[in-house]
Amino acid sequence: MAAEDRADPLFVRSVEKAMGILSAFHHAGGPLTLSDLATGAGIDRSAAQRMVHTLRALGYICRDADGHGYLPGLRVLDHTLDYLRLDPLVRQATPVLQELRTAVRERVDLSLFDGPRVVYAVRLQTTRQTLNASLVGHSVPSFCSSGGWAMLSRLPPEQARDIVERSDRRPFTSDTITSVDDVMENIAKTRSDGYALTTNQILSGEIAAAFPIMNAKGEPLAAIHIAGSLADWTPEDYARRVVPPGQAAARTISQY
Amino acid sequence: MAAEDRADPLFVRSVEKAMGILSAFHHAGGPLTLSDLATGAGIDRSAAQRMVHTLRALGYICRDADGHGYLPGLRVLDHTLDYLRLDPLVRQATPVLQELRTAVRERVDLSLFDGPRVVYAVRLQTTRQTLNASLVGHSVPSFCSSGGWAMLSRLPPEQARDIVERSDRRPFTSDTITSVDDVMENIAKTRSDGYALTTNQILSGEIAAAFPIMNAKGEPLAAIHIAGSLADWTPEDYARRVVPPGQAAARTISQY
DNA sequence: GGGCGTGTATTGCATAGCAATATTCTAAAC
DNA sequence: GTTTAGAATATTGCTATGCAATACACGCCC
């Protein structure tokens, strides 16, 4: 055994390989071949064969309809359900967000903080939104999203800056703010306002407000988002409309 | 190596153990201890220690807030996103279901066929529903759900009966039909009508219509559900209202 | 203070998983 | 129709990984 392998004798490399195979789909646009999966997971083709064979038997991977590649299997959704059912924040947030959506009549979401990204766990829908806007598990970078600014504003500024600096700051629209200094300026404004307001950062024409939710130690855990259209609102009117109920909802959820 | 172990040399037992640990949460009501996870996965406590250690390192399991147990970790949702993004049926169904929801103004879902159960993959929301009604990954038994009757009706009757017979036919409400013969009678009616209509089977007061979606070989893949309240509708009025648009939507999705 | 159940740590050993390699199959190109 | 390339599948000897038995530390409860 190599010295570095003995460093963590409890770590099970086969499990890492299997999860690496499943993670190869993160960057996929469609079904993947065995070789694609091996390459994506950074492992040997033989190891990939064993992992795929095992994951298929367990229901986590399946053949696609014409037998030309592999896709994630239905068993994945069982674990999604466990996550959503068991996460205390998701459980207590959901009814509060439903009331908030009724009050403001715009799209309401809850995202969870994961350093350089925020991950959507609760997506409340309106009558029309993009497919991405309805998908649990969808994530966006913290540096250019309203939720990201909200949660980063609740970290010490050096820690927030570190996260922003090591983000992949590629723009989503022609208006996406990518300069570290400009992002930090907006985070500072969010800190003083108590909420974030973004325009055109992830989608052109979108305005989004976000309200941070902290744990008992004051660390950011999550954020409520309320997204609307710049076709319907000016930023000032939007803030006036959604900030009071958004802040109330965030306080209600943070109280638990 | 035992003879039965040699039967499938490609199968990786450590991966099965790790997924077994994650699956222990399927029956959990809250955080689980290491011993709970070992018992739930049917493995030795030492093996459970290694699997939990590895899954924590990879983000699939985390400690709960007060450090007294373990919960599913956020990485689970990344794979959810992959499933939903990459499943061709989910992709093509989603815009069709959104139009259907606008047309009928009731709760619309897509569930996928998985033998004795149906798994919800697309949940379109109205202004009010239970938490279970919004969760991706939630499943219900085929024998007593509208989607189950819809999909079972598209199998040969012996195959459908086999699935019903080996289901755990416990009632959800005092009106849940659990007799195999009665279930098969309803499946026969669904076969002749072309759609399923259930009342009070999963939730008291709920009426649900379902429309099967088949693959190119005519095998059931999925079903569209439209759920409403018996407080608002008689079964006859409900069928009149939702069957034409529901069947049209199912035809549109099956055409691909 | 003792017992119990929890999480964590250690270690020698056996076999599970490895990777190199071979084979088969299928689709596409010529 | 044949050939080629890339796919999936199968085989096998070897060794390092994962195992399980065991010990230890900690916290809670009686």
Side-chain angles (χ1 to χ4, degrees):
Chain A
M1 173 179 294
E4 70 274 17
D5 290 335
R6 220 173 180 85
D8 189 356
L10 291 175
F11 192 80
V12 180
R13 267 152 290 258
S14 300
V15 173
E16 179 178 41
K17 286 174 175 167
M19 304 323 274
I21 287 287
L22 285 177
S23 300
F25 289 111
H26 294 343
H27 309 294
L32 296 179
T33 66
L34 194 81
S35 298
D36 291 332
L37 290 166
T39 302
I43 65 177
D44 181 77
R45 230 164 54 89
S46 297
Q49 180 189 2
R50 287 188 298 282
M51 302 305 150
V52 168
H53 176 79
T54 306
L55 291 168
R56 283 180 79 188
L58 299 173
Y60 294 93
I61 273 182
C62 57
R63 293 307 297 259
D64 80 345
D66 62 16
H68 281 75
Y70 296 98
L71 284 168
L74 197 58
R75 283 284 281 130
V76 164
L77 298 187
D78 293 326
H79 301 291
T80 305
L81 179 66
D82 290 339
Y83 186 94
L84 297 176
R85 270 193 318 108
L86 295 174
D87 185 82
L89 187 57
V90 169
R91 284 161 70 152
Q92 74 214 23
T94 303
V96 177
L97 297 181
Q98 281 170 341
E99 294 193 26
L100 178 60
R101 198 234 344 237
T102 301
V104 301
R105 300 183 208 222
E106 296 287 356
R107 207 181 77 241
V108 170
D109 296 315
L110 181 82
S111 61
L112 303 177
F113 186 51
D114 193 33
R117 67 175 186 153
V118 303
V119 182
Y120 291 98
V122 181
R123 318 301 306 263
L124 297 190
Q125 298 158 9
T126 58
T127 53
R128 187 152 308 276
Q129 67 265 298
T130 63
L131 176 61
N132 270 353
S134 66
L135 293 180
V136 157
H138 183 64
S139 60
V140 292
S142 300
F143 83 89
C144 63
S145 58
S146 59
W149 289 2
M151 293 185 257
L152 290 172
S153 75
R154 286 291 181 261
L155 293 175
E158 319 78 55
Q159 207 177 323
R161 177 175 279 264
D162 179 64
I163 290 175
V164 173
E165 280 173 350
R166 61 182 171 81
S167 297
D168 173 10
R169 292 189 305 281
R170 58 179 175 77
F172 283 69
T173 73
S174 54
D175 293 307
T176 306
I177 297 168
T178 56
S179 148
V180 173
D181 287 340
D182 290 341
V183 171
M184 295 307 298
E185 193 177 319
N186 278 284
I187 289 171
K189 186 178 188 311
T190 298
R191 188 177 293 118
S192 73
D193 290 345
Y195 65 91
L197 197 69
T198 57
T199 58
N200 296 313
Q201 291 301 296
I202 300 290
L203 284 176
S204 285
E206 180 180 74
I207 184 165
F211 309 88
I213 295 171
M214 273 76 67
N215 66 12
K217 298 181 219 163
E219 292 159 340
L221 281 182
I224 294 172
H225 298 243
I226 309 175
S229 171
L230 286 164
D232 299 332
W233 301 95
T234 64
E236 294 74 26
D237 287 342
Y238 194 71
R240 211 176 343 263
R241 180 73 187 83
V242 304
V243 166
Q247 285 182 318
R251 265 195 307 276
T252 301
I253 295 170
S254 292
Q255 262 167 5
Y256 288 86
Chain B
M1 175 178 294
E4 68 273 18
D5 291 335
R6 217 170 184 89
D8 190 355
L10 291 174
F11 192 81
V12 181
R13 266 157 293 258
S14 300
V15 173
E16 179 179 40
K17 286 174 176 168
M19 304 325 274
I21 288 284
L22 286 178
S23 300
F25 290 110
H26 294 342
H27 309 294
L32 297 178
T33 65
L34 192 81
S35 298
D36 291 333
L37 291 166
T39 303
I43 65 178
D44 179 77
R45 227 167 60 93
S46 297
Q49 180 189 3
R50 285 189 299 282
M51 301 306 150
V52 168
H53 175 80
T54 305
L55 290 168
R56 283 181 79 187
L58 299 173
Y60 294 94
I61 273 181
C62 57
R63 293 306 298 257
D64 80 342
D66 62 15
H68 281 74
Y70 298 96
L71 284 168
L74 198 57
R75 283 283 282 129
V76 163
L77 297 186
D78 293 326
H79 300 293
T80 306
L81 179 66
D82 291 338
Y83 186 95
L84 297 175
R85 271 191 317 109
L86 295 174
D87 185 83
L89 187 58
V90 169
R91 284 161 70 153
Q92 74 213 23
T94 303
V96 177
L97 297 180
Q98 282 171 339
E99 293 192 26
L100 178 60
R101 198 234 344 237
T102 301
V104 299
R105 297 180 207 227
E106 296 289 356
R107 208 180 77 239
V108 169
D109 296 312
L110 182 82
S111 62
L112 303 177
F113 187 51
D114 193 33
R117 66 177 187 152
V118 303
V119 182
Y120 289 100
V122 181
R123 314 304 305 263
L124 298 189
Q125 298 159 9
T126 58
T127 53
R128 189 148 310 273
Q129 66 264 297
T130 64
L131 176 62
N132 271 356
S134 66
L135 294 178
V136 158
H138 183 64
S139 60
V140 292
S142 300
F143 82 88
C144 63
S145 57
S146 60
W149 289 2
M151 293 186 256
L152 290 171
S153 76
R154 285 290 180 261
L155 292 176
E158 320 78 56
Q159 207 176 323
R161 178 175 277 266
D162 179 63
I163 288 176
V164 173
E165 280 175 348
R166 59 183 171 84
S167 295
D168 172 12
R169 292 188 306 281
R170 58 179 175 77
F172 283 69
T173 73
S174 54
D175 294 308
T176 306
I177 297 167
T178 55
S179 147
V180 173
D181 287 342
D182 289 341
V183 171
M184 293 310 298
E185 194 178 320
N186 279 282
I187 290 172
K189 184 177 190 312
T190 298
R191 188 176 292 118
S192 73
D193 290 345
Y195 65 92
L197 197 68
T198 57
T199 58
N200 297 311
Q201 292 302 295
I202 302 289
L203 283 176
S204 286
E206 180 180 76
I207 184 163
F211 309 89
I213 294 170
M214 273 76 67
N215 67 11
K217 297 182 222 165
E219 293 159 340
L221 280 182
I224 294 171
H225 299 243
I226 308 174
S229 170
L230 286 165
D232 298 334
W233 302 95
T234 64
E236 294 73 28
D237 287 341
Y238 194 71
R240 215 179 338 266
R241 181 73 186 84
V242 305
V243 166
Q247 285 183 320
R251 266 197 307 276
T252 300
I253 296 171
S254 292
Q255 262 168 4
Y256 287 85

